Amino acid sequence: MMKQLTIIKIGGNVIDNSENLHRFLLDFTALPGDKILVHGGGKIATELGESLGIEAKMVEGRRITDIETLRIVTMVYAGLINKNMVAQLQAKGSNAIGLSGADGNVIKAKKRPVSTKTYGAESGPMAGAVIDYGFVGDLDENSVSAKTLDSLLNAGLVPVLCAITHDGDTQLLNTNADTIASSVAVAMSALYETQLVYCFEKKGVLKDVNDDATVVREIKADEFEGLKADGTVAGGMIPKLHNAFEAIKKGVSAVYIGKADELAELATGTFGTKMLK
């Protein structure tokens, strides 16, 4: 029987609030079994960039990472945030080790190629615009070293992964933390019965986005299209669920989406929305 592994991803809504982060890390530490934490960056990188006169550039919600921005996100994600989180976990009795993708060659990415994008209409000012995301890393099925992560887990360590990867040829890259969490979960599913948990500001997938009491507790893959059609799943939730079901298709046993401050409910089976085969 395979050992169980829980991979949890947190974002800025937890990182940016010290009280929320403290409570979350207590709940994370209390979770039974092997686990890996993946974190994004929050507002700190943007604020530091602005203080240095470097404005954040975004396209469709994704950060453009030029060389100056890369220096900032590396300092903040792989340095300040990652090590602060590791220190807090140590104080709570969790023997954490903070890693970028370069450490132990744990996540090797490929620099995203420059692309030509058509925005909605075939014509208009943005039609055919050339988009260069800069030093952004994309992952494939060979990106994550499951062997390295497994050796750390077997040594009793809790890996804490930031959103900085590398290309194997000296170049650091900025990679989406949701993508890292999913890719790590898929890679580790060959060795563990793996569940993936996305923590964000909502209680889960809601039938009514303004009513937390309308959480959809379970969604199966064959129900996804219907929920998109009737509007239950819309906007930014669509890519989240698409990625969740892709991870399940590739071997992850279950994916959860729910509120960070309710993580303790994962152990009782009442946390957020559970995605199943």
Side-chain angles (χ1 to χ4, degrees):
M1 185 176 174
M2 295 174 100
K3 287 200 297 181
Q4 287 198 324
L5 173 66
T6 303
I7 295 165
I8 298 176
K9 188 266 173 180
I10 57 167
N13 60 309
V14 180
I15 294 165
D16 294 333
N17 184 304
S18 58
E19 186 179 324
N20 288 351
L21 181 60
H22 168 73
R23 186 167 60 243
F24 168 84
L25 292 176
L26 279 174
D27 291 340
F28 176 81
T29 299
L31 283 177
D34 290 316
K35 54 210 169 196
I36 295 172
L37 181 60
V38 179
H39 67 83
K43 296 176 185 172
I44 301 171
T46 301
E47 290 171 353
L48 178 59
E50 287 173 353
S51 73
L52 296 172
I54 300 164
E55 184 182 349
K57 303 181 193 76
M58 310 289 282
V59 173
E60 297 180 317
R62 294 177 182 268
R63 187 187 292 269
I64 301 287
T65 306
D66 58 20
I67 191 62
E68 294 298 331
T69 301
L70 180 67
R71 288 170 179 161
I72 289 168
V73 296
T74 301
M75 287 188 286
V76 173
Y77 299 175
L80 181 62
I81 292 175
N82 188 266
K83 299 314 169 194
N84 173 56
M85 218 169 283
V86 168
Q88 289 200 48
L89 284 167
Q90 294 291 357
K92 293 168 175 58
S94 183
N95 194 11
I97 181 167
L99 302 166
S100 73
D103 297 300
N105 195 29
V106 71
I107 307 173
K108 192 156 75 171
K110 293 178 181 174
K111 185 176 181 291
R112 183 174 298 169
V114 176
S115 64
T116 301
K117 174 96 177 176
T118 300
Y119 285 76
E122 295 280 325
S123 59
M126 293 300 290
V130 174
I131 308 216
D132 183 358
Y133 284 98
F135 295 97
V136 167
D138 290 329
L139 307 183
D140 60 30
E141 65 275 8
N142 300 312
S143 290
V144 176
S145 174
K147 182 179 178 182
T148 301
L149 290 170
D150 183 45
S151 67
L152 294 172
L153 292 167
N154 287 330
L157 294 165
V158 177
V160 179
L161 302 172
C162 71
I164 300 298
T165 57
H166 77 131
D167 70 352
D169 190 28
T170 77
Q171 183 61 58
L172 294 171
L173 297 165
N174 182 19
T175 296
N176 179 273
D178 281 356
T179 303
I180 287 176
S182 178
S183 295
V184 169
V186 169
M188 298 305 289
S189 67
L191 304 173
Y192 294 79
E193 185 179 332
T194 304
Q195 59 181 3
L196 172 61
V197 182
Y198 287 109
C199 290
F200 74 142
E201 65 277 3
K202 296 283 187 183
K203 281 181 171 281
V205 178
L206 306 175
K207 289 180 181 176
D208 179 350
V209 292
N210 300 310
D211 185 357
D212 281 346
T214 63
V215 177
V216 180
R217 286 299 174 191
E218 286 189 356
I219 302 174
K220 292 183 178 176
D222 59 6
E223 298 170 333
F224 182 36
E225 291 301 323
L227 291 171
K228 279 197 294 183
D230 69 17
T232 300
V233 177
M237 192 61 76
I238 292 175
K240 278 188 188 298
L241 264 63
H242 174 77
N243 289 337
F245 286 117
E246 282 296 305
I248 289 169
K249 194 186 296 182
K250 293 174 182 175
V252 176
S253 62
V255 181
Y256 295 82
I257 295 177
K259 202 167 188 177
D261 61 10
E262 296 178 350
L263 183 64
E265 295 177 8
L266 191 65
T268 64
T270 57
F271 175 81
T273 301
K274 182 179 184 180
M275 268 63 68
L276 296 160
K277 289 182 182 176

